[in-house]
Amino acid sequence: MTAPGFRPVLSDTVTHVKPWYTELAALWDAKWILLLVAALGSAAGYFGADHFVEDRFTASAVLSLNPREERTTGLRSVLSSLGREERIVKSEAEVLRSRKLLALVVDHLALTEDPEFSAIPLADDPQAAAVARLSDRISVKNPEKTLVFHITASADDPVTAQKLADTLASFYISGQLEAQREATERATRWLTDRAADLIVDLDEKEAAAATLAADAQRISKLKLDGLQRKLAAIEDRLSVDGLSEEDLTTLTAQKTKLAAAANEESAVLVEKRQITREAEASRLIYEHFRTRLNEIAVQSGFFAPESRLLSPATMPKTPSWPHLPLFAALSAVLATGLAAAAVLLRNALDKRVSSVDEFEFATGLTVAGLIPAMGKRWRKNRVVELKALSSIRHVRTQLLRGGPHRGGRVVLVTSTLPGECKSTHAVLLAKSLVGLGR
């Protein structure tokens, strides 16, 4: 019921617009329905995931990397060591995920014959297809600031998941041994070839040294000293004045001959010493190479991998996917969202006025009070009768108290539909006013 004498502020062609909070009110009114829908959605999601989603099992193996330790001193060497370890960890993680290693696992476990990993039976390269599928099922994680790798494998069968993780770890460790063996074989071949070249060079130098030694046997230091003394004596005689032309020519010829003989003898001795030193140096290098070959031959039977298996994979007892609580939660959220959307859509399509605030917002009129629906047999229901009379008294009080309708003497009682007890409301309001002498 609206206050008399108050003129609406809206035009006759105004569109019914509801205030924004009516949407919240509609959701609140439907809260029990939304809770029921959420419960049903959660149960449906749990049941559907449990019965219709294929189970996926996950197994994990743990590897520890043991890089070769090197003594480091000083801050710079320590920092460089940390950087080197980080690069090693990243490199080894890529090795674990490499297609070559995965191909070994595929061949060992015959995954090309497993329907789970051979989803493309007509593929040109079944092994490549299986490796690609396996790559999606394998993950390698390295906890920060550690040398530990977690190899996680997932499969539809728990036994297969366990075999995938353990086989990959096993091939990684054996691959390290194979890499060491290949490196040792390459080093052995290189050292052997180099030692063969060195022994040829050593033989040539020792032969040359032996030849020069034979020539040097006829040369003695005393003979060389005698030649040098004769040269000194001739030079002394040449320095004397008054020599005849014939003596001068003779002495000069003797000097030239003695100098040539002394130089020849000296050159032979120098060359002998040089060849002897070169032969000794070649022998030392050859002996060093032979020592390295012997060391490699001794160590070749004691290869040790640079990683070890800390924890082999165990067969999972329960599937890791689907995550039933997650499916239940997502289904509840989705069902609640759809139900809430339906409630809001119904509220938007509902053009009826359902509250005092909505009526005042839509019409601009002041509401004096609310009278509950009474029905034609309201007198037979005592509770309805008391509520109706109490509402009538509240409306009467609002009319007599004053406000925007103050001074009005006409009260219009109307409704949009017939049979809503307009006459009854008017009579009861009139009787209530008459009782107060109004």
Side-chain angles (χ1 to χ4, degrees):
M1 179 174 292
T2 60
F6 189 79
R7 182 175 298 173
V9 298
L10 300 178
S11 64
D12 296 337
T13 59
V14 79
T15 302
H16 179 201
V17 179
K18 296 183 178 182
W20 61 271
Y21 48 81
T22 58
E23 297 177 352
L24 298 179
L27 292 175
W28 178 254
D29 292 340
K31 58 183 179 296
W32 298 114
I33 296 177
L34 294 178
L35 289 176
L36 178 61
V37 170
L40 293 176
S42 177
Y46 190 95
F47 179 82
D50 191 28
H51 289 78
F52 299 106
V53 178
E54 188 175 4
D55 291 341
R56 184 72 58 81
F57 295 86
T58 300
S60 296
V62 182
L63 282 175
S64 175
L65 189 64
N66 302 320
R68 296 173 181 174
E69 297 182 358
E70 296 181 3
R71 182 174 299 176
T72 57
T73 57
L75 179 60
R76 179 174 299 179
S77 59
V78 171
L79 293 178
S80 63
S81 175
L82 294 177
R84 183 174 61 254
E85 287 186 355
E86 183 179 358
R87 291 192 298 271
I88 291 174
V89 168
K90 290 182 178 179
S91 300
E92 295 304 316
E94 292 300 322
V95 171
L96 282 167
R97 288 189 288 261
S98 64
R99 295 181 64 86
K100 180 180 179 181
L101 200 60
L102 295 181
L104 295 176
V105 176
V106 168
D107 293 339
H108 182 75
L109 298 179
L111 296 182
T112 53
E113 301 175 3
D114 191 336
E116 182 181 356
F117 295 93
S118 58
I120 310 177
L122 300 180
D124 296 336
D125 190 351
Q127 187 193 48
V131 169
R133 296 280 299 213
L134 178 61
S135 179
D136 297 334
R137 302 293 183 89
I138 295 291
S139 67
V140 178
K141 296 182 179 179
N142 167 241
E144 188 176 1
K145 297 180 180 180
T146 67
L147 299 177
V148 175
F149 294 102
H150 293 271
I151 304 175
T152 303
S154 60
D156 297 340
D157 179 64
V159 177
T160 303
Q162 179 188 11
K163 288 182 178 179
L164 288 176
D166 285 340
T167 304
L168 182 60
S170 175
F171 273 115
Y172 172 72
I173 295 175
S174 61
Q176 289 185 334
L177 293 176
E178 185 64 26
Q180 292 182 17
R181 187 175 295 107
E182 291 178 357
T184 301
E185 291 177 355
R186 288 195 301 269
T188 301
R189 287 194 299 269
W190 185 83
L191 287 173
T192 302
D193 295 341
R194 184 61 179 152
D197 296 338
L198 287 173
I199 193 63
V200 172
D201 182 65
L202 178 61
D203 291 341
E204 292 177 353
K205 290 181 178 179
E206 287 183 344
T211 301
L212 291 175
D215 294 338
Q217 287 180 356
R218 58 183 178 83
I219 302 173
S220 64
K221 181 128 175 64
L222 294 175
K223 183 178 180 180
L224 185 61
D225 292 341
L227 292 174
Q228 291 177 350
R229 284 196 299 270
K230 289 180 180 181
L231 280 172
I234 291 174
E235 289 178 352
D236 291 339
R237 292 180 63 185
L238 288 173
S239 61
V240 176
D241 295 334
L243 292 177
S244 63
E245 185 69 25
E246 184 179 356
D247 293 339
L248 184 61
T249 302
T250 302
L251 290 174
T252 302
Q254 291 178 356
K255 176 184 177 182
T256 302
K257 185 177 179 180
L258 288 175
N263 290 336
E264 182 179 357
E265 301 292 338
S266 178
V268 170
L269 293 177
V270 170
E271 185 178 2
K272 175 182 177 295
R273 287 195 297 269
Q274 180 67 24
I275 292 296
T276 303
R277 284 197 296 266
E278 290 180 359
E280 187 64 25
S282 297
R283 180 175 294 280
L284 291 175
I285 296 175
Y286 172 74
E287 291 178 353
H288 175 72
F289 273 70
R290 292 299 304 175
T291 302
R292 291 295 300 155
L293 275 173
N294 293 333
E295 291 177 354
I296 292 177
V298 172
Q299 295 175 359
S300 60
F302 299 95
F303 293 123
E306 295 182 0
S307 61
R308 57 195 177 96
L309 185 63
L310 292 182
S311 175
T314 57
M315 188 174 66
K317 303 298 183 182
T318 58
S320 59
W321 181 264
H323 194 268
L324 297 182
L326 177 61
F327 270 82
L330 293 177
S331 300
V333 171
L334 180 60
T336 304
L338 293 176
V343 170
L344 294 177
L345 179 61
R346 180 179 179 275
N347 181 66
L349 296 177
D350 187 8
K351 302 301 181 181
R352 295 178 299 175
V353 177
S354 58
S355 67
V356 173
D357 294 337
E358 187 177 345
F359 179 83
E360 292 181 346
F361 181 82
T363 64
L365 300 176
T366 302
V367 175
L370 292 176
I371 300 176
M374 297 168 59
K376 295 181 179 180
R377 300 181 179 180
W378 60 276
R379 287 188 177 276
K380 295 182 179 181
N381 190 331
R382 185 60 179 170
V383 175
V384 174
E385 180 182 2
L386 291 176
K387 289 183 178 180
L389 294 177
S390 176
S391 300
I392 291 295
R393 286 194 293 270
H394 178 72
V395 172
R396 180 197 64 189
T397 302
Q398 294 295 325
L399 293 174
L400 297 178
R401 181 179 295 175
H405 54 274
R406 187 171 183 175
R409 302 186 60 81
V410 177
V411 177
L412 174 63
V413 180
T414 184
S415 68
T416 58
L417 297 174
E420 291 187 343
C421 300
K422 294 182 290 297
S423 301
T424 303
H425 291 161
V427 170
L428 291 176
L429 181 58
K431 288 178 64 176
S432 180
L433 290 170
V434 169
L436 294 177
R438 305 296 297 267

